[in-house]
Amino acid sequence: MKEQIKVMVVDDHDMVRVGLRTYIMLDEELSVVEEASNGEEALRKLGALDAERIPDVILMDLTMPVMNGIEATREITQLFPSIKIIMLTSFLEEDKVVQAVEAGAISYVLKTISSEQLAHAVKGAAAGMPVLNPEVSLALTRGLRQRSAQTEDEGLTAREREVLSLISDGKSNKEIAEALHISIKTVKTHVSNLLMKCELDDRTQLAIYAHRKGWAGTGA
């Protein structure tokens, strides 16, 4: 008989753990070896398990008291690199999807999935194959784009973003100075700083950059 995939269920709600355990028991290739109500308890129980009972896959709730799913995933993947973690959540938040993947989760699924979909995700994780439904994949892509944009924006001051927005509107240095009540010399300094920080060559490229970032005409 094929060896069963060992699963640990981590969720702070008793009824959710019961439901997940019931789903897993429907598939003869899967078995639940341990449960925990938060990340800290999961770490403690993993440390006390015999080697043969270490789970292959953990179903990890995203939001829990004491230690949440992302924090626990980060710790567990460092201490038990062979364990694959599937993040479970009731809500799809783009930033949380990114954080979960960065922490080491192999898959991210919604709690609304069917028993068949859950079994598929567990088996895929055990085999090292991530399982992301279209909604999660889209959220991950959007989250990564937002993260990239935030990283690119870090060097710009609020005033520089205002100047950049006005450049995107085709304003001259004089018009920008009047709009922001600053000197033309100060505007030129801001433009020079923008060109340097954005690694661009001219005002036209700055305008295109502002449009790409969604700052055009916003007075960012």
Side-chain angles (χ1 to χ4, degrees), residues 2 9 13 23 28 34 36-37 57 63 77 80 84 90 97 105 110 119 126 136 146 151 172 194 197 202 216:
K2 184 177 179 181
V9 178
H13 293 96
Y23 270 13
E28 60 182 14
E34 189 56 272
S37 60
V57 178
T63 305
T77 52
F80 303 90
K84 302 298 187 294
S90 299
V97 177
L110 298 175
V136 174
Q146 290 175 359
T151 300
S172 66
L194 283 166
K197 290 181 177 181
D202 55 44

Side-chain angles (χ1 to χ4, degrees), residues 59-74:
L59 295 175
M60 180 77 71
D61 186 21
L62 176 65
T63 305
M64 296 179 290
V66 185
M67 180 183 283
N68 65 42
I70 291 173
E71 293 170 339
T73 295
R74 190 176 292 113

Side-chain angles (χ1 to χ4, degrees), residues 10 38-39 43 60-64 67-78 85-89 93-105 108 147:
V10 183
N38 60 66
L43 280 163
M60 180 77 71
D61 186 21
L62 176 65
T63 305
M64 296 179 290
M67 180 183 283
N68 65 42
I70 291 173
E71 293 170 339
T73 295
R74 190 176 292 113
E75 292 286 336
I76 291 170
T77 52
Q78 291 179 354
I85 298 179
I86 298 173
M87 194 67 71
L88 289 169
T89 181
E93 300 177 51
E94 294 168 2
D95 189 53
K96 295 299 184 184
V97 177
V98 175
Q99 289 182 41
V101 172
E102 289 179 338
Y108 188 109
R147 181 71 59 83

Side-chain angles (χ1 to χ4, degrees), residues 72-211:
T73 295
R74 190 176 292 113
E75 292 286 336
I76 291 170
T77 52
Q78 291 179 354
L79 296 171
F80 303 90
S82 65
I83 297 177
K84 302 298 187 294
I85 298 179
I86 298 173
M87 194 67 71
L88 289 169
T89 181
S90 299
F91 305 99
L92 191 57
E93 300 177 51
E94 294 168 2
D95 189 53
K96 295 299 184 184
V97 177
V98 175
Q99 289 182 41
V101 172
E102 289 179 338
I106 191 169
S107 297
Y108 188 109
V109 300
L110 298 175
K111 290 181 179 179
T112 52
I113 63 174
S114 66
S115 59
E116 292 82 4
Q117 291 171 324
L118 180 64
H120 175 67
V122 170
K123 292 175 184 177
M129 301 282 289
V131 175
L132 301 173
N133 65 32
E135 287 179 320
V136 174
S137 294
L138 182 58
L140 177 59
T141 300
R142 287 176 174 169
L144 288 171
R145 285 176 179 170
Q146 290 175 359
R147 181 71 59 83
S148 175
Q150 289 168 1
T151 300
E152 291 174 5
D153 300 346
E154 284 180 353
L156 301 187
T157 67
R159 178 63 85 188
E160 286 169 348
R161 287 184 57 173
E162 287 178 329
V163 172
L164 182 58
S165 177
L166 291 169
I167 288 174
S168 74
D169 289 340
K171 303 295 185 183
S172 66
N173 286 349
K174 181 181 179 181
E175 290 171 325
I176 294 173
E178 291 173 351
L180 300 179
H181 306 290
I182 57 179
S183 70
I184 294 178
K185 182 178 179 180
T186 300
V187 173
K188 290 180 179 178
T189 299
H190 284 315
V191 173
S192 295
N193 289 339
L194 283 166
L195 290 170
M196 180 182 65
K197 290 181 177 181
C198 299
E199 298 183 347
L200 299 172
D201 298 322
D202 55 44
R203 294 171 73 96
T204 300
Q205 291 182 4
L206 283 175
I208 293 172
Y209 177 83
H211 279 280

